[in-house]
Each structure stands twice: as C-alpha cells, then as structure tokens.
C-alpha cells in the first residue's frame, strides 16, 4: 500500500503521526548532500527513552585512509575493546555518517548496526575549494564523545598509536 499522506496511528494512549516516522529517506545514498544537511541538525548529545542509550555526534576535518577507517570501526563494532573514562566498554548500537577517504573524490556514507557496517560512495564529489569534513553519529551505551572524537582524529591524522590508551585488546567487552 502506498500513502501520499501518512495517517495517524493510535498505539494505546499515544497518537503517532506516521509522517514523523516513515518516508524520511534516512538511508538514501543518492544524495550525500542531503545526508550532510541532516547530520548537521542532529544534537551533539541526545537522550533516548532508555536512559542508558545516548547519541553522540562530532565533526572532524581531514581525510582518512580507508584501511585506518576500517580499523577504527572494527575496534568499536567487532572487537568491542574501546573503553570510556570509567573503564566501561563502549557499546555502539548504530553508527552513521559522512566521511572523506583519501584518494576518493566522492563523499562516502558510513552506516553500521551492531556488528555490521558498510562504506558506500555517493555520487557527490567533494568541492575542491572546501575543506573536507567528516560528520559522525553514534548511538549506544557508555559512549564518551571526547574519546570517540580523539580516536577518530588519530585515525585521520594517522596516529593510531594513540588508541592504546582507550583500546584494551586483552579485555574484550562481552
């Protein structure tokens, strides 16, 4: 069934306008620019219904090597060995963003859910006269914006050795 206008649905005592939930085009990879604009409007830290889940966003200028970017994401999603200041494991439930990869003229969308992630080139090229800026959004538990940003900056500046402070390879999270 296709709706041109979305109805309101009643769930218990709640009224939910489906236009606020459906047809957001959140995963459209055809327009890196529209994703870029959407990411600019996500608050830096946002609480969720489950108070243990938070949203963290940040921007970092520069270009990442694709291999270094994969290692950064894999440490978070696969190895689960990144810890916050309280030594709790960071649990990334959702990752999305727009990244700049060295030697690629196109903007790249990164999306991750639990242990799965994907890097997809968009048809949108970076403009020669603008600085490339990576915009990332993380949703999860025990997330520390400063540490995540620090680790991503180390990825972009190719100083991955800085990771050892917050990555405990011998203490993998459950």
């Amino acid at each position: 069934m296709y709706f041109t206008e979305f109805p309101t649905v009643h769930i218990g005592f709640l009224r939910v306008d489906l236009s606020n939930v459906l047809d957001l085009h959140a995963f459209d990879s055809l327009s890196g620019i529209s994703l870029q604009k959407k990411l600019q409007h996500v608050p830096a830290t946002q609480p969720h219904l489950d108070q243990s889940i938070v949203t963290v966003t940040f921007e970092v200028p520069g270009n990442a090597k694709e291999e270094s970017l994969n290692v950064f994401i894999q440490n978070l999603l696969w190895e689960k060995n990144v810890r916050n200041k309280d030594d709790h494991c960071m649990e990334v439930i959702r990752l999305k963003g727009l990244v700049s990869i060295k030697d690629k003229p196109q903007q790249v969308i990164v999306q991750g859910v639990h242990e799965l992630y994907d890097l997809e080139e968009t048809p949108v090229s970076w403009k020669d006269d603008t600085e490339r800026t990576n915009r990332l959004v993380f949703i999860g538990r025990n997330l520390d914006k400063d540490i995540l940003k620090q680790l991503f900056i180390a990825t972009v500046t190719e100083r991955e050795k800085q990771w050892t402070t917050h990555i405990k390879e011998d203490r993998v999270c459950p």
Side-chain angles (χ1 to χ4, degrees), residues 17-152:
D17 181 356
L18 291 182
S19 66
N20 293 330
V21 179
L22 301 174
D23 202 28
L24 296 178
H25 302 283
F27 300 103
D28 287 357
S29 63
L30 299 178
S31 175
I33 290 177
S34 65
L35 177 64
Q36 190 172 21
K37 288 178 183 176
K38 288 175 188 177
L39 291 176
Q40 287 175 341
H41 299 292
V42 175
T45 304
Q46 177 180 353
H48 293 266
L49 198 52
D50 178 342
Q51 295 299 311
S52 69
I53 297 176
V54 296
T55 300
V56 170
T57 66
F58 58 80
E59 293 184 6
V60 172
N63 302 300
K65 281 186 178 177
E66 190 166 358
E67 181 181 338
S68 297
L69 179 61
N70 281 315
V71 170
F72 169 76
I73 295 169
Q74 290 166 11
N75 275 315
L76 285 167
L77 303 183
W78 295 359
E79 303 301 328
K80 300 180 190 301
N81 56 10
V82 181
R83 295 180 175 267
N84 65 17
K85 290 174 188 147
D86 297 328
D87 203 35
H88 293 108
C89 295
M90 290 194 213
E91 179 189 347
V92 177
I93 298 168
R94 182 82 172 90
L95 158 66
K96 55 188 170 182
L98 193 63
V99 294
S100 173
I101 296 179
K102 280 188 180 178
D103 303 322
K104 290 198 179 191
Q106 290 84 16
Q107 298 176 3
V108 176
I109 292 175
V110 58
Q111 297 187 68
V113 178
H114 295 287
E115 294 181 355
L116 302 174
Y117 77 96
D118 184 42
L119 300 173
E120 184 179 342
E121 287 185 40
T122 71
V124 179
S125 294
W126 293 99
K127 294 180 183 174
D128 291 334
D129 59 345
T130 61
E131 182 175 48
R132 293 182 177 203
T133 301
N134 302 278
R135 291 179 178 86
L136 294 172
V137 178
F138 298 88
I139 300 170
R141 291 183 177 86
N142 301 317
L143 301 182
D144 185 308
K145 177 180 180 174
D146 295 332
I147 291 172
L148 287 170
K149 187 172 182 178
Q150 205 175 75
L151 292 173
F152 190 77

Side-chain angles (χ1 to χ4, degrees), residues 4-17:
T4 54
E5 290 187 24
F6 294 106
T8 299
V9 174
H10 297 276
I11 303 172
F13 293 108
L14 299 173
R15 287 179 39 150
V16 178
D17 181 356

